[in-house]
Amino acid sequence: MDHLDLARWQFAITTIYHFLFVPLSIGLVFLIAVMHTLYVVKKEDVYKRMAQFWGKLFLLNFAVGVVTGIMQEFQFGMNWSDYSRFVGDVFGGPLAVEALVSFFLESTFLGVWIFGWERLPKKVHLASIWLVAAGTTMSAFWILTANSFMQEPVGFAIRDGHAEMVSFGALLSNPQLWLEFPHVVFGALATGALFMTGVSAYKLLRKQQLDIFKPSFSIAIVVALISSILVAIVGHDQAQHLVQSQPMKMAASEGLWETSGDSAPWTVIAGIDVSGQKNDFSLEIPGLLSVLSYNKLTGQVQGIKDLQAQYEAQYGPGNYIPPVRTTFWSFRIMVLAGGLMVLLGLYGTIAVMRKRLERQKRYLRWMVPAIGLPFIANTAGWIMTEIGRQPWIVFGLQKTEDGVSPTVSSAMVLTSLIGFTLVYGILAAVLIYLFVRTIRQGADEEGVHPADEENAKQAHEGALAETEQPLPAGTF
């Protein structure tokens, strides 16, 4: 395996791993801010305990997310120096704002929120968690501003062989950004909400702290339903934009080798033969791809072979076809996971509204592993987005093979890849251990720490045991 393939693997591993934590942070902090707001408005301590419990899990996730983000930047600098030089003058602005404003905002006010309980006026303290939520979301905005340029370059001029930004406003008004950003944010809200419902379901099944986890589930399941539906709506708009901006990615995600007729069918599943550039079999729904592309039953969609010929005429000889199987199946995995999220959210919301949640034992058991659904959808979505753009690292401007560092050897990339994998494995083990321990401890009782409560329980059981000892025969 040469250093280009190793660099690709390292990018994939670091990006996917980092992106497990980012959406969970965005979604969780929003729900915590809602619970904190309910505490300030209703003046009921149960909401304070809810915010503090979920805040512990948020802090664990946030800390690991920061570490993995730093490691991801390291691999960019080491493996993709030609790419960094090519887009540096464009990415410098948004990434500087992300670091100096957004990350500063979320980090600073996260500290204020942690240490501000009972020390700050309640409304000032409440503002701090909303500022953390705003900073976390704005971080995603600036990162996606850069990523959107990779998908659809705007506001630049090519000078001396690299891209220079000529319009910051064009970067911010990039149509790709205003579809990608809400899609990611709604997906993040669904991630935080499904995580909260899954943990709450685990505690409800064990009848532990129902006063904390029943309202937690009720709030989160509504957010999960709404955000999952909005993800699908924005995703539909994004797919329609894809037909115009990156038609090859759209064709690959549908396994569409030949340009369709006037009414394009949507392929549910297919046996894709890449070498033969055909599908051995397929299950199709007539007209649905035209509906997805144009909101009507008619409308032609370009196929991979015609686009390959078009790109050769436009960009010169070469292979412009992305890995079709990966793009095709990652899209369907994302859609399937998203569909299940909507169904589970709808069922749970109805159960909550009818006050029958605790009777739904089987449903609650499903909700525990359902924590993984948004992570699967997020990962599959990113794989489709990045793999489907190949062979371009910046669409139409720079190929991936031209962005890799020329002076880094395969051995160097392999060494760092092994090191990253080991560190990620250790981080995952530590995080899972801390998550499980925190969840088992549950929320603090008002004025009583769980450890104190456990000691008191053991002392109480010991006292009972002593009183239940058989009395000496001499007593009688």
Side-chain angles (χ1 to χ4, degrees):
M1 192 177 288
D2 62 20
H3 77 296
L4 174 59
D5 290 332
L6 287 168
R8 279 174 156 153
W9 272 106
Q10 191 170 107
F11 172 82
I13 291 171
T14 54
T15 300
I16 289 173
Y17 193 79
H18 178 58
F19 201 60
L20 295 177
F21 303 99
V22 174
L24 182 56
S25 288
I26 295 173
L28 264 185
V29 74
F30 172 79
L31 287 162
I32 293 167
V34 170
M35 291 170 179
H36 194 155
T37 303
L38 290 171
Y39 164 61
V40 173
V41 172
K42 294 190 173 184
K43 299 180 175 58
E44 296 177 10
D45 281 345
V46 66
Y47 293 111
K48 174 184 174 183
R49 293 166 57 209
M50 287 164 59
Q52 290 178 331
F53 170 76
W54 296 110
K56 291 177 187 175
L57 298 178
F58 168 75
L59 289 173
L60 292 172
N61 186 75
F62 180 81
V64 177
V66 170
V67 173
T68 57
I70 292 171
M71 295 173 73
Q72 190 188 25
E73 290 181 7
F74 174 80
Q75 68 87 28
F76 262 122
M78 187 181 80
N79 297 337
W80 303 100
S81 60
D82 279 0
Y83 160 74
S84 300
R85 274 190 286 272
F86 183 73
V87 298
D89 288 344
V90 175
F91 283 13
L95 295 185
V97 176
E98 192 274 334
L100 296 175
V101 179
S102 301
F103 186 68
F104 176 80
L105 190 68
E106 61 183 319
S107 302
T108 301
F109 284 96
L110 181 57
V112 172
W113 186 73
I114 293 170
F115 298 106
W117 292 101
E118 317 304 339
R119 294 182 177 88
L120 293 173
K122 286 186 177 179
K123 290 184 179 178
V124 174
H125 188 220
L126 172 63
S128 67
I129 191 65
W130 279 109
L131 287 171
V132 175
T136 306
T137 308
M138 286 171 61
S139 282
F141 177 81
W142 294 115
I143 296 295
L144 292 174
T145 300
N147 184 267
S148 296
F149 181 84
M150 296 167 67
Q151 311 293 336
E152 188 172 349
V154 294
F156 72 98
I158 299 295
R159 296 192 180 104
D160 299 326
H162 65 274
E164 289 185 5
M165 181 170 55
V166 296
S167 172
F168 194 59
L171 278 184
L172 298 184
S173 59
N174 189 341
Q176 172 67 24
L177 172 63
W178 289 103
L179 292 168
E180 195 171 330
F181 175 62
H183 192 62
V184 170
V185 169
F186 291 139
L189 292 175
T191 304
L194 265 293
F195 176 80
M196 188 171 285
T197 55
V199 173
S200 298
Y202 171 83
K203 303 294 276 188
L204 291 175
L205 285 167
R206 283 153 182 77
K207 301 186 185 304
Q208 296 173 349
Q209 297 186 308
L210 300 183
D211 61 326
I212 295 296
F213 292 103
K214 191 174 177 181
S216 291
F217 189 100
S218 301
I219 293 171
I221 198 66
V222 175
V223 174
L225 174 61
I226 296 172
S227 56
S228 297
I229 292 172
L230 290 175
V231 167
I233 292 172
V234 177
H236 173 63
D237 294 339
Q238 202 170 3
Q240 293 193 333
H241 182 68
L242 205 62
V243 175
Q244 308 301 324
S245 62
Q246 296 182 71
M248 181 64 90
K249 183 189 292 185
M250 181 67 177
S253 70
E254 298 302 330
L256 188 65
W257 294 100
E258 308 288 348
T259 298
S260 73
D262 189 45
S263 180
W266 186 71
T267 304
V268 182
I269 56 171
I272 296 172
D273 178 2
V274 175
S275 58
Q277 296 197 341
K278 61 184 178 64
N279 295 335
D280 293 331
F281 67 89
S282 61
L283 175 62
E284 299 176 340
I285 301 176
L288 185 55
L289 182 56
S290 293
V291 174
L292 294 174
S293 303
Y294 309 111
N295 287 338
K296 58 184 183 180
L297 283 169
T298 57
Q300 194 178 58
V301 179
Q302 285 184 290
I304 294 171
K305 292 180 182 177
D306 284 347
L307 287 165
Q308 167 68 20
Q310 180 182 320
Y311 284 10
E312 283 185 346
Q314 185 174 355
Y315 301 113
N319 180 10
Y320 298 93
I321 302 175
V324 178
R325 286 198 194 95
T326 307
T327 310
F328 178 88
W329 286 111
S330 59
F331 177 64
R332 274 142 191 82
I333 292 171
M334 177 185 69
V335 170
L336 177 61
L340 290 173
M341 288 158 56
V342 172
L343 292 176
L344 290 171
L346 181 62
Y347 189 93
T349 301
I350 293 172
V352 168
M353 292 174 66
R354 292 181 175 178
K355 302 184 186 303
R356 294 179 178 177
L357 179 62
E358 291 171 80
R359 300 178 189 174
Q360 307 295 325
K361 303 294 184 187
R362 182 177 296 175
Y363 171 74
L364 290 175
R365 283 194 287 272
W366 289 347
M367 291 307 292
V368 178
I371 290 174
L373 284 176
F375 292 98
I376 292 171
N378 293 336
T379 302
W382 269 115
I383 289 174
M384 178 204 162
T385 300
E386 300 304 306
I387 295 288
R389 193 185 59 243
Q390 300 303 315
W392 302 105
I393 193 169
V394 181
F395 184 76
L397 297 179
Q398 185 184 47
K399 291 182 178 178
T400 304
E401 62 190 25
D402 297 326
V404 72
S405 299
T407 57
V408 178
S409 66
S410 299
M412 295 166 69
V413 182
L414 181 61
T415 301
S416 60
L417 178 59
I418 294 172
F420 281 172
T421 304
L422 289 174
V423 172
Y424 282 170
I426 294 170
L427 282 174
V430 171
L431 185 64
I432 290 171
Y433 168 76
L434 293 174
F435 263 21
V436 171
R437 191 181 71 167
T438 304
I439 292 168
R440 284 181 174 170
Q441 286 179 340
D444 289 352
E445 298 294 340
E446 189 62 22
V448 180
H449 191 274
D452 299 333
E453 187 183 29
E454 183 65 24
N455 292 336
K457 182 180 178 182
Q458 291 176 359
H460 178 66
E461 290 173 348
L464 285 177
E466 288 181 5
T467 58
E468 291 171 357
Q469 291 291 327
L471 294 173
T475 305
F476 297 96

